[in-house]
């Protein structure tokens, strides 16, 4: 259910989801209300006046009885429950001009997997399937062993031939066969690479064909996601996530690889990520009241380093030239052999990787986004410390990883942080007063700035003309918020009383510099890959953004700072955690599984550091948005309009 | 080197191996010297007089200085080191008639595997092979992952296609590839059932193709044998054995199955046999100075119950009608998953079984003896608690198990015991005095009677006319050795002073009865199987005896008591531990491995208890040698001759 929110005096109307937080609504609409506490409700600055309709509001101490009865509310403490008309109090009022700068453009939110399309294309055919067989109980004259009886039943009733099988099911076969008088359900695995035969992995008493579950796992360097699937119904039951417990051994893949070289380091890293998966999986199973015995397999996607560490394979050579991983495609392995708390019949499959820095998460994303079968020339981007880029279409795919550095994940930025509670995720700046309005994750006091918040902040500062194209702050502005700090000039985003740490939360020129390096590496990557295949930016018919890059990415701002190319906005799509989605598609579709290795093989890897032209492109991109402004026509317009 | 031993006054000459014990020589020659202490040297009865040549003799206290200088020696304390002429002292002298009854006929001793024949037939091609590959080290422009590099090398240099592989080798692949600059040896497994692809199980640095070893295991209910193989050279390096540690939970398969149903019983049995295998294998490896890492796989043969217990599979249904085991053919399993102390790359393969009581040991024996490809109609026998019988030729094979009972393994016989130290293994009886001459295993004081000893004892008693055809002892003989005991009449084989226990060692009519049941079940089994395929005893062109039935079986005596059919002696062959030999042949020959399942399928199982005619045959066989003496023409002659 959507509700209409009208902001007076601008008569700006927006449609929002019922229950949406009003501060978030205002930020999205570009309405300045000067909130500086991130949404915690303590600064009291985000006042609005409710004129019509209902809000579900908490009553903070900063609003008096009289004000409350007049309709004053704090936006951050209010949720939209009906159509409302709100008035921005004069202290927040700005000239109309501000409002012409609507934000966002297309708002990119993760699109769920289109299961209906998969089914419509007849691709819904999980590689793990159950077969119910009704066997004749043995007699004196027919006392062949249980396993042969089962094989004969599968051959006769389901035309299953040349079956191979896992040893461990034999330990329960005798009991299972007799429990419901030789009526059993066999779980068959048709996924084994290079094996034409189905592999019998489990047997259960009676007919359990209507209960068949699996889990997929996205092992991110930062976050581990698990998705629970109902294979009998073709449904996603739910997701759960937690931080990768390896985080305590280093923030990024390079520090993890370094840690793996210490005594017992590899073992500790392996056990950590497995512990995280166990915890998230069992939490999810408990929530859905599913016994773990009903899971038939796990499909895992992760970058090359995460995959090596998960399997307990030394990742040392990934970071040593010439950057050769141990394997790209991994044979299936019994999940228990890796320490996973699942029954013996559960095997683990992982998505193939292409190279040391283009891993299974990217291949999975390419599969999920469908670009490998799309005639449109597509740019696929996963923004992160190692930003991965794929360009191509149904005929060819080129890929590369950019050492963007950790700026988008909070690294190298003094107050940068991961997208966690207290991280500023959105900011707008009043171009008259240079006062910020901001919101944090969980709407608590600000603790730092998330990657998405950083992009939005830089874009807002560009728009407010506080920053020069080469990333320097303007010293001549009439605001105490710009001051000289330890690392050159800095902008005070939140003053000490409103921060969690009790110190001023700032953004320095050094921070801006690091962000420019990060976005510059990505942009230089697109151009270099395109150049190598003889194409230009304008040729891109589609741009797909993947990755858990905050909850959403503000497309206009990402273009404004030069992170994304300035192309018609309708060409952009945000697919969210494409790695997890791809793994889920593989669990749902045997046909897609058969494509997986082919797609990985199809992806030609470019080592950017070895590719001619990359360094020049990189240096050219160390500008806001770029030294060659012709790449960014709409940004030029936007900045010009802002100055008017 | 053989030496000639002449016994005076008979002028009986025999050729013996240098170093042979003189008591054993005398027993084999049928020369009575009244030894009753089993060869320990304490009874002093086995005196002989050395007339010419040299003996290597210990000087027991029972021989005085004067006697020693005259040439008196104790046979049990003497070894033959030159040609000798010996005189049997008068106290041992018998009439010449005794000596006409020469013993043994063909002496059956285990024949080793004929590896030269295997090689001559071009069947020497182990399913596990090593391939050396010399790869190009990676460069910036060729930095494909290590596994793909290895696969490409195997494909190009050895035409190995569609390789599958074991996960665990990836954990060392990176290191191994670099250790000798990308020169590695891959171990490939071509044995996987129903898999057309070779399976990569191991990778080692450098060229190790000249070092490739494997082990085969025969899991007997009583004894576990391990054989160490050099696959690179096609040689058997050695054997070692020990009692199956499961013995402490029961002597035979039925008591083991019963124990497996107790709390933790199955786990204890599984761990026990694995502990035995670990112990024997590592002892053998140590002896041959081989690191366990150089073993590529294990091939295991055992009866159906032993195989189930080894794998940790509940054997309950084996002893419940209609006697269905869980599996006949077992998928390969990582040896470590069973508790075996070997590296991760070692998998276990077992020989297929036919039914609950015709197991992998018999299939292995059929393979070893080659009867599945022999045009001759063959009877294959493995004598034991469950005596297994196979009849057939290259076209068809029928098999059955007889519940012979444990008499041949010492069970149900008051002083019966396994073929262990102190067990009487051979006996002859003086037909005049009814005094026995006997020898024990390890030549220590007698403790009990082994199965082979029992057969020889009964035959000797038949020949001395001490026993009636229905198994009763003659009460009217002039000897105190036949007396009335707790279980009817009994014969005192060794008096208390000469036994380990210090009590008289006897054989009662009840013991004879149990032996008759055991041999009767076997004989009824042959006849029933033959009858069911429309054949007669005389049609058998070959009889193959398998099993660790003592160190040797005395063919004449086994025929005399009715355990073996009375056929021309040259038709008999003793192949020893055919189960172990078959497992070794499978390790040596990929072609034979491909035959293995076919041979198991070819063997039609008969449940004797359900087969018409068996019970009548069984009752008819409860005689010495049989109610129908026409089955035993030479025995009739022998007994008649003995009486003359």
């Amino acid at each position: 259910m959507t509700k209409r929110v009208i902001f007076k005096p601008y008569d700006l109307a927006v449609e929002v989801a019922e229950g949406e937080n009003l501060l978030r609504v205002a930020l999205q609409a570009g309405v300045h209300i000067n909130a500086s506490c991130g949404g915690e409700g303590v600064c009291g600055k985000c006042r609005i006046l409710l004129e019509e309709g209902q809000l579900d509001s908490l009553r903070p101490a900063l609003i008096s009885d009289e004000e409350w009865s007049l309709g004053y509310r704090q936006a951050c403490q209010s949720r939209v429950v009906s159509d409302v008309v709100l008035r921005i109090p004069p202290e927040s009022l700005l000239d109309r001009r501000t409002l012409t700068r609507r934000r966002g453009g297309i708002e990119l939110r993760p699109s769920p997997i289109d299961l209906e399309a998969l089914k419509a294309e007849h691709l819904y055919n999980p590689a793990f399937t159950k077969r119910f067989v009704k066997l004749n109980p043995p007699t004196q004259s027919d006392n062949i062993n249980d396993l042969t009886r089962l094989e004969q039943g599968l051959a006769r009733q389901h035309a299953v031939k040349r079956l191979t099988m896992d040893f461990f099911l034999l330990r329960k076969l005798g009991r299972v066969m007799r429990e419901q008088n030789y009526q059993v359900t066999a779980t068959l695995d048709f996924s084994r690479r290079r094996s034409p035969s189905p592999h019998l992995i489990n047997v259960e008493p009676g007919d359990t064909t209507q209960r068949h579950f699996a889990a997929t796992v996205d092992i991110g360097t930062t976050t581990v996601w698990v998705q629970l699937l109902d294979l009998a119904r073709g449904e996603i039951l739910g997701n759960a996530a937690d931080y990768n417990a390896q985080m305590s051994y280093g923030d990024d893949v390079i520090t993890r690889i370094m840690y793996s070289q210490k005594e017992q380091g590899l073992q500790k890293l392996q056990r950590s990520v497995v512990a995280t998966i166990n915890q998230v999986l069992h939490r999810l199973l408990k929530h859905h009241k599913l016994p773990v015995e009903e899971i038939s397999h796990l499909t895992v996607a992760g970058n090359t380093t995460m995959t090596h560490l998960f399997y307990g394979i030394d990742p040392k050579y990934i970071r040593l030239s010439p950057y050769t991983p141990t394997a790209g495609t991994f044979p299936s392995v019994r999940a228990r052999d890796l320490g996973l708390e699942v029954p013996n019949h559960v095997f683990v499959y992982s998505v193939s990787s292409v190279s040391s820095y283009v891993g299974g998460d990217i291949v999975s994303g390419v599969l999920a986004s469908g670009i490998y079968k799309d005639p449109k020339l597509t740019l696929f981007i996963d923004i992160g410390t190692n930003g991965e880029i794929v360009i191509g279409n149904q005929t060819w795919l080129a890929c590369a990883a950019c050492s963007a550095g950790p700026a988008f994940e909070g690294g190298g930025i003094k107050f940068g942080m991961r997208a966690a509670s207290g991280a500023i995720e959105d900011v707008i700046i009043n171009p008259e007063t240079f006062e910020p309005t901001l919101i944090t994750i969980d709407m608590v006091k600000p603790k730092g700035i998330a990657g998405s918040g950083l992009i939005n902040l830089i874009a807002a500062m560009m728009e407010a003309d506080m920053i020069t194209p080469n990333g320097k702050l303007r010293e001549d502005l009439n605001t105490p918020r710009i001051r000289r700090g330890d690392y050159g000039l800095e902008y005070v985003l939140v003053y000490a009383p409103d921060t969690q740490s009790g110190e001023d939360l700032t953004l320095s020129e050094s921070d801006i510099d690091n962000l420019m390096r990060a976005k510059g590496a990505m942009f230089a990557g697109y151009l270099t890959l395109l150049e190598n295949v003889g194409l230009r930016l304008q040729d891109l018919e589609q741009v797909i953004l993947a990755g858990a890059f905050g909850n959403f990415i503000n497309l206009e701002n990402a273009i404004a700072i030069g992170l994304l190319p300035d192309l018609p906005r309708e060409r952009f799509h945000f697919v969210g955690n494409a790695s997890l989605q791809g793994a889920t598609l593989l669990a749902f579709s045997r046909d897609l599984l058969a494509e997986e290795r082919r797609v990985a093989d199809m992806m030609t890897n470019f080592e950017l550091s070895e590719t001619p032209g990359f360094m020049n492109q990189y240096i050219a991109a160390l500008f806001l948005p770029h030294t060659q402004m012709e790449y960014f026509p709409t940004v030029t317009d936007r900045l010009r309009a802002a100055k008017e």
Side-chain angles (χ1 to χ4, degrees), chain A:
Chain A
M1 287 285 288
T2 61
K3 302 294 173 192
R4 168 172 295 238
V5 179
I6 296 170
F7 288 101
K8 298 243 170 191
Y10 317 119
D11 291 328
L12 171 70
V14 289
E15 298 287 329
V16 303
E18 184 171 348
E20 182 66 284
N21 179 281
L22 196 54
L23 175 58
R24 198 178 293 278
V25 172
L27 273 159
Q28 290 297 312
V31 172
H32 290 269
I33 42 178
N34 296 338
S36 65
C37 70
E40 201 192 21
V42 294
C43 75
K45 289 184 185 159
C46 61
R47 284 182 166 207
I48 45 87
L49 187 60
L50 176 64
E51 293 195 341
E52 284 175 34
Q54 298 285 322
L55 287 172
D56 175 12
S57 302
L58 288 177
R59 163 101 185 261
L62 294 167
I63 291 182
S64 69
D65 287 353
E66 194 191 345
E67 287 171 327
W68 185 262
S69 64
L70 285 170
Y72 279 97
R73 301 289 183 269
Q74 272 182 227
C76 72
Q77 301 297 304
S78 302
R79 285 146 38 89
V80 177
V81 292
S82 75
D83 291 349
V84 284
V85 176
L86 306 169
R87 183 167 294 274
I88 307 302
E91 67 265 28
S92 302
L93 257 180
L94 281 174
D95 67 348
R96 214 180 154 75
R97 202 182 56 182
T98 318
L99 278 171
T100 62
R101 301 201 289 278
R102 281 294 305 285
R103 309 188 61 228
I106 296 156
E107 189 162 302
L108 300 176
R109 286 191 177 276
S111 50
I113 291 178
D114 193 348
L115 275 172
E116 293 314 311
L118 196 73
K119 289 169 186 172
E121 291 179 59
H122 303 292
L123 293 175
Y124 185 81
N125 52 2
F128 286 73
T129 58
K130 287 190 168 188
R131 298 276 193 275
F132 173 62
V133 276
K134 207 168 167 176
L135 304 162
N136 293 323
T139 61
Q140 296 277 11
S141 58
D142 168 26
N143 67 352
I144 192 73
N145 66 74
D146 294 337
L147 181 60
T148 302
R149 184 174 305 275
L150 175 60
E151 290 183 85
Q152 289 174 349
L154 285 167
R156 286 174 197 153
Q157 295 171 38
H158 297 284
V160 174
K161 297 278 166 56
R162 293 181 65 79
L163 196 64
T164 64
M165 68 213 64
D166 184 48
F167 164 76
F168 280 98
L169 67 90
L170 294 181
R171 288 198 171 161
K172 64 178 179 179
L173 183 63
R175 177 180 53 74
V176 168
M177 290 282 267
R178 286 156 184 84
E179 200 169 310
Q180 296 214 16
N181 197 31
Y182 293 85
Q183 302 192 23
V184 299
T185 301
T187 308
L188 301 176
D189 169 3
F190 285 87
S191 79
R192 304 230 157 179
R193 289 193 176 90
R194 298 182 184 167
S195 170
S197 313
H199 194 68
L200 177 65
I201 58 161
N202 198 17
V203 59
E204 295 165 312
D207 184 352
T208 67
T209 50
Q210 290 312 301
R211 293 188 65 80
H212 189 190
F213 305 93
T216 49
V217 184
D218 167 50
I219 305 179
T221 310
T222 305
T223 309
V224 171
W225 280 91
V226 180
Q227 191 157 65
L228 203 57
L229 314 180
D230 182 335
L231 294 183
R233 271 163 204 79
E235 287 170 10
I236 295 171
L237 295 178
N239 302 316
D242 204 344
Y243 287 117
N244 185 335
Q246 289 178 347
M247 288 295 284
S248 58
Y249 302 110
D251 274 351
D252 53 45
V253 297
I254 298 301
T255 51
R256 303 272 172 91
I257 293 172
M258 284 161 65
Y259 189 86
S260 76
Q261 299 311 302
K262 297 190 180 181
E263 175 86 15
Q264 291 292 307
L266 178 58
Q267 286 80 349
K268 283 184 199 168
L269 289 166
Q270 201 270 339
R271 277 186 223 123
S272 296
V273 68
V274 166
T276 302
I277 297 171
N278 279 332
Q279 182 260 106
V280 178
L281 174 64
H282 281 276
R283 178 152 48 86
L284 196 56
L285 286 167
K286 197 175 168 189
H287 180 75
H288 291 276
K289 298 189 174 59
L290 273 188
V292 68
E293 288 71 25
E294 298 200 77
I295 295 290
S296 72
H297 68 293
L298 297 174
T299 310
V300 170
N303 65 47
T304 308
T305 302
M306 285 304 111
T307 306
H308 277 57
L309 292 176
F310 167 66
Y311 281 128
I313 298 169
D314 190 346
K316 178 163 59 175
Y317 309 107
I318 288 176
R319 71 179 275 264
L320 299 178
S321 176
Y323 316 114
T324 49
T326 291
T329 299
F330 296 81
S332 67
V333 57
R334 193 182 308 282
R336 285 182 85 110
D337 284 347
L338 301 177
L340 288 160
E341 291 161 1
V342 291
N344 260 324
H345 70 258
V346 177
F347 276 72
V348 175
Y349 302 81
S350 63
V351 185
S352 297
S353 61
V354 175
S355 64
S356 276
Y357 295 104
V358 178
D361 53 343
I362 303 305
V363 174
S364 193
V366 166
L367 287 163
S369 60
I371 64 175
Y372 69 96
K373 57 177 180 181
D374 199 326
K376 284 189 204 148
L377 181 67
T378 303
L379 169 66
F380 176 97
I381 312 169
D382 189 329
I383 297 165
T385 303
N386 285 288
E388 293 97 344
I389 304 167
V390 184
I391 292 178
N393 57 28
Q394 63 188 8
T395 318
W396 59 274
L397 292 167
C399 62
C402 311
S403 298
F408 296 121
E409 284 156 2
I413 307 294
K414 188 175 180 194
F415 289 97
M417 65 179 284
R418 298 194 313 270
S421 186
I424 295 166
E425 53 172 344
D426 204 0
V427 194
I428 52 177
I429 294 178
N430 187 317
E432 305 289 311
T433 61
F434 308 106
E435 290 299 305
T437 294
L438 53 87
I439 194 166
T440 63
I441 293 173
D442 296 342
M443 296 204 297
V444 295
K445 271 189 176 181
K447 188 176 171 185
I449 313 174
S452 57
L454 195 62
I455 292 169
N456 292 334
L457 172 59
I458 303 283
M461 290 169 82
M462 287 168 71
E463 215 171 19
D465 201 21
M466 299 161 70
I467 199 166
T468 64
N470 62 353
K472 299 298 169 196
L473 289 174
R474 292 199 191 281
E475 206 168 359
D476 57 350
L477 298 179
N478 180 25
T479 171
R481 284 184 181 262
I482 292 187
R483 68 190 188 191
R484 190 157 295 277
D486 294 340
Y487 303 96
L489 290 180
E490 63 188 18
Y491 170 69
V492 185
L493 187 55
V494 190
Y495 282 108
D498 283 338
T499 66
Q500 282 194 30
S501 64
E503 58 174 332
D504 292 350
L505 203 160
T506 60
L507 182 86
S508 71
E509 287 179 340
S510 161
D511 296 333
I512 297 167
D513 206 47
N514 279 328
L515 180 88
M516 286 200 300
R517 287 176 200 277
K519 71 94 193 171
M522 293 297 295
F523 200 81
Y526 319 147
L527 288 180
T528 307
L529 267 195
L530 282 166
E531 214 167 64
N532 269 275
V533 292
L535 292 167
R536 297 164 309 151
L537 273 179
Q538 298 93 298
D539 298 324
L540 293 170
E541 294 167 273
Q542 191 168 240
V543 181
I544 293 176
L545 305 179
F549 190 56
N551 285 327
F552 64 91
I553 186 164
N554 184 297
L555 179 59
E556 287 301 332
N557 291 343
I559 294 171
I561 70 162
L563 170 62
L564 297 178
D566 190 354
L567 295 169
R569 306 310 188 248
E570 66 278 9
R571 293 190 193 169
F572 288 85
H573 304 279
F574 182 42
V575 294
N577 189 339
S579 170
L580 186 65
Q581 291 172 52
T584 290
L585 284 173
L586 293 175
F588 278 153
S589 175
R590 187 177 164 187
D591 293 311
L592 204 57
L593 199 65
E595 291 274 72
E596 179 257 350
R597 179 67 189 265
R598 187 184 69 79
V599 169
D601 284 345
M602 189 178 158
M603 292 166 68
T604 305
N605 186 55
F606 285 79
E607 293 289 341
L608 287 182
S609 59
E610 310 292 322
T611 306
F614 175 74
M615 199 41 76
N616 288 340
Q617 289 289 6
Y618 174 60
I619 289 163
L622 294 178
F623 245 63
L624 291 172
H626 199 275
T627 50
Q628 289 170 269
M629 281 301 285
E630 59 270 31
Y631 284 139
F632 289 91
T634 73
V635 177
T636 312
D637 292 348
R638 177 179 168 183
L639 295 179
R640 189 180 306 122
K643 284 185 190 166
E644 277 166 6

